[in-house]
Amino acid sequence: MLGALAAALSLENLLLALLGVIGGTIIGALPGLSATMAVAVLVPFTFTMDPSSGLIVLGAIYTGAIYGGAYSAILVNTPGTPAAIATSMDGFPMARRGDGDLAVTLSCLGSVVGGTVGALALLFLAPPLSQIALSFGPVEYFWLAIFGLSLIATLSRGATLLGLIGGAIGLILSCVGSAVVGGDVRYTFGQTSLLGGIPVIPALIGLYCVPVLIDMVIRPEAHLERRAETVRGFRFREAFGLMRRSKFNVIRSALIGTGVGIVPAAGGSVAGLVAYSEARRTARVPEAFGDGAPDGVIASEAANSATVGGGFVPTLVLGIPGTPPDAIILGALLVQGIRTGPQLFTQQADIVFTFTFGLLIATLLMLPTGLIIGRYAFRLIVSVPKTALAPAIAFLTVVGAFAIEANTFHVAIMVALGIFGWLVARIGLEPSPIVLGLILGPIAEAGFVQGWLIGGASGNRLGMFFGQPISIGIIAMTAITLASSGVFKRAVSQGNPE
């Protein structure tokens, strides 16, 4: 391990890690240009590199892109990546009141702590933690998706009914196209472009960004408030003080992100929302969440960055990619002749440990690069007039939606869902429950159908869904989440007014 650390600290690998973090941060900040796209585009360039150096570049890009999504989430209320969905809930309100530079600094510090915890978990706990991923079957994934959907009640800020309606809309949208099990074609209305379903990234851009653009055009006031006394750079000391006071929130969120990252297919969006929900549930003033609570930004960013290291645990030890970028990096490993599995940590330990240390170094490099980029990003956004800002954001949204598959139909989906999102926002329906339903719908459907079929074949469907220890634990967490959100209490009070 000492030799691997020395290799990771070589000048070449340090430079590659730095360039990867900067490039990933910039790409992640642009709506639609996700971490998956950034890693996929640059994979061919790593084939001529030393395997460990190539992996360090990809890991650094992945890490930077996950963090970069916070910039657009905070400054223009458009998550640059799905992992930054929860960040926009409090980050953008902070920016609107003139604290965008503080929110960006908090997101940087939270990402560094979360990414460090995830990388350390990969370094020291990969083999035992990988057994957790093996314990999850279809039914566990179904209940995990239900648990994620239960967070809607917590995130709805008192409008639980509207939140549930939004989640139901997202679930309906997730049913469009070919069924994840069986391949039945549903709700395409003869459009072959819908056979693959509603793409998440164009939907994300449309529901979050297009309503902001419409409001920027029709409202006379400035997009973000600029106050001379608040636009003063890093605000590092203030942010560090908030982080220190919220140390339990930071560590809890990082551990949540690591745990969720270990579970394949969960990803940073689920981790950020779970950590955000827990931060709100345990906060002294939960009503402040959604109106610019720093703890919301800290929780989301610490969790989604921790999924990077956590996601590499099943990828390297089991060959099961935890997230889409992990799947691309797994392909790069195979091209390099590296076979994943428990033997990877013994037969090719020099490569995997050099990569792990490189990932840890890249995470630490996010601190200076993130602070510098964030300082000028906020100043740029608040100083650019809306007449120039709105067309620039509109151009980036169109490019982001189109660039995923070079498909103009994705642009049409983005615009349609954006107009829909702006209209339903008039009645208080927020985009987050819709996006959450869209992301978790396929996971829930696949888990339920597969569990139902397996339970039917074994003659014990009830035991299949309610008899497994992990399933019981997830069901219990779901019940606790609903109870803490007040759903049960309101239901009881409505049934018995006295």
Side-chain angles (χ1 to χ4, degrees), residues 251-391:
I251 299 301
R252 180 183 61 229
S253 301
L255 293 176
I256 288 174
T258 302
V260 173
I262 292 169
V263 179
S269 55
V270 176
L273 289 167
V274 172
Y276 183 91
S277 174
E278 281 300 299
R280 181 177 180 178
R281 184 179 66 84
T282 58
R284 293 182 179 179
V285 188
E287 296 79 11
F289 280 71
D291 294 323
D295 277 340
V297 176
I298 293 171
S300 173
E301 288 301 303
N304 62 37
S305 291
T307 60
V308 176
F312 279 118
V313 171
T315 303
L316 296 179
V317 180
L318 303 174
I320 302 173
T323 62
D326 291 330
I328 298 170
I329 294 175
L330 177 61
L333 282 169
L334 298 177
V335 171
Q336 294 274 16
I338 301 171
R339 294 295 178 265
T340 57
Q343 71 279 1
L344 177 64
F345 287 81
T346 55
Q347 298 177 2
Q348 295 176 303
D350 55 335
I351 295 176
V352 68
F353 283 125
T354 301
F355 162 65
T356 305
F357 280 119
L359 184 66
L360 181 60
I361 292 169
T363 301
L364 297 177
L365 287 174
M366 278 199 307
L367 184 59
T369 57
L371 290 176
I372 293 172
I373 295 174
R375 174 181 183 178
Y376 293 104
F378 179 62
R379 289 188 173 184
L380 176 65
I381 293 295
V382 297
S383 61
V384 173
K386 286 202 304 182
T387 53
L389 184 62

Side-chain angles (χ1 to χ4, degrees), residues 121-477:
L122 173 62
L123 182 63
F124 294 108
L125 303 174
L129 287 178
S130 64
Q131 300 304 314
I132 300 176
L134 281 177
S135 302
F136 275 73
V139 173
E140 284 76 16
Y141 281 116
F142 166 71
W143 286 119
L144 184 65
I146 296 300
F147 171 62
L149 291 171
S150 72
L151 301 178
I152 292 174
T154 304
L155 303 176
S156 298
R157 291 187 290 171
T160 305
L161 179 60
L162 287 175
L164 294 176
I165 292 173
I169 292 173
L171 290 174
I172 293 172
L173 291 176
S174 72
C175 293
V176 174
S178 301
V180 290
V181 178
D184 299 313
V185 178
R186 308 167 302 190
Y187 311 123
T188 61
F189 305 103
Q191 293 287 335
T192 57
S193 300
L194 288 174
L195 288 175
I198 302 292
V200 173
I201 298 298
L204 182 72
I205 298 172
L207 289 169
Y208 277 99
C209 193
V210 174
V212 174
L213 284 171
I214 296 175
D215 287 335
M216 288 175 65
V217 172
I218 65 177
R219 292 181 179 178
E221 64 268 18
H223 171 59
L224 296 178
E225 182 179 353
R226 178 171 185 169
R227 298 184 302 188
E229 68 273 13
T230 59
V231 186
R232 52 179 185 263
F234 301 139
R235 300 178 69 174
F236 182 81
R237 182 176 298 178
E238 184 179 355
F240 185 78
L242 289 171
M243 290 282 292
R244 187 172 58 182
R245 287 195 292 271
S246 302
K247 52 184 177 294
F248 294 112
N249 178 28
V250 178
I251 299 301
R252 180 183 61 229
S253 301
L255 293 176
I256 288 174
T258 302
V260 173
I262 292 169
V263 179
S269 55
V270 176
L273 289 167
V274 172
Y276 183 91
S277 174
E278 281 300 299
R280 181 177 180 178
R281 184 179 66 84
T282 58
R284 293 182 179 179
V285 188
E287 296 79 11
F289 280 71
D291 294 323
D295 277 340
V297 176
I298 293 171
S300 173
E301 288 301 303
N304 62 37
S305 291
T307 60
V308 176
F312 279 118
V313 171
T315 303
L316 296 179
V317 180
L318 303 174
I320 302 173
T323 62
D326 291 330
I328 298 170
I329 294 175
L330 177 61
L333 282 169
L334 298 177
V335 171
Q336 294 274 16
I338 301 171
R339 294 295 178 265
T340 57
Q343 71 279 1
L344 177 64
F345 287 81
T346 55
Q347 298 177 2
Q348 295 176 303
D350 55 335
I351 295 176
V352 68
F353 283 125
T354 301
F355 162 65
T356 305
F357 280 119
L359 184 66
L360 181 60
I361 292 169
T363 301
L364 297 177
L365 287 174
M366 278 199 307
L367 184 59
T369 57
L371 290 176
I372 293 172
I373 295 174
R375 174 181 183 178
Y376 293 104
F378 179 62
R379 289 188 173 184
L380 176 65
I381 293 295
V382 297
S383 61
V384 173
K386 286 202 304 182
T387 53
L389 184 62
I393 295 176
F395 173 75
L396 290 175
T397 58
V398 172
V399 170
F402 174 79
I404 300 170
E405 296 180 9
N407 192 339
T408 55
F409 189 72
H410 287 181
V411 179
I413 290 177
M414 177 200 72
V415 173
L417 288 178
I419 295 174
F420 171 76
W422 183 79
L423 292 174
V424 297
R426 306 305 99 188
I427 61 172
L429 204 159
E430 299 181 355
S432 296
I434 301 176
V435 174
L436 190 60
L438 180 62
I439 292 174
L440 295 179
I443 300 175
E445 180 184 357
F448 178 80
V449 174
Q450 291 173 358
W452 184 267
L453 294 175
I454 295 172
S458 62
N460 186 19
R461 285 196 175 108
L462 190 64
M464 176 63 63
F465 282 91
F466 298 97
Q468 306 296 326
I470 296 179
S471 297
I472 294 173
I474 299 175
I475 293 171
M477 289 192 299

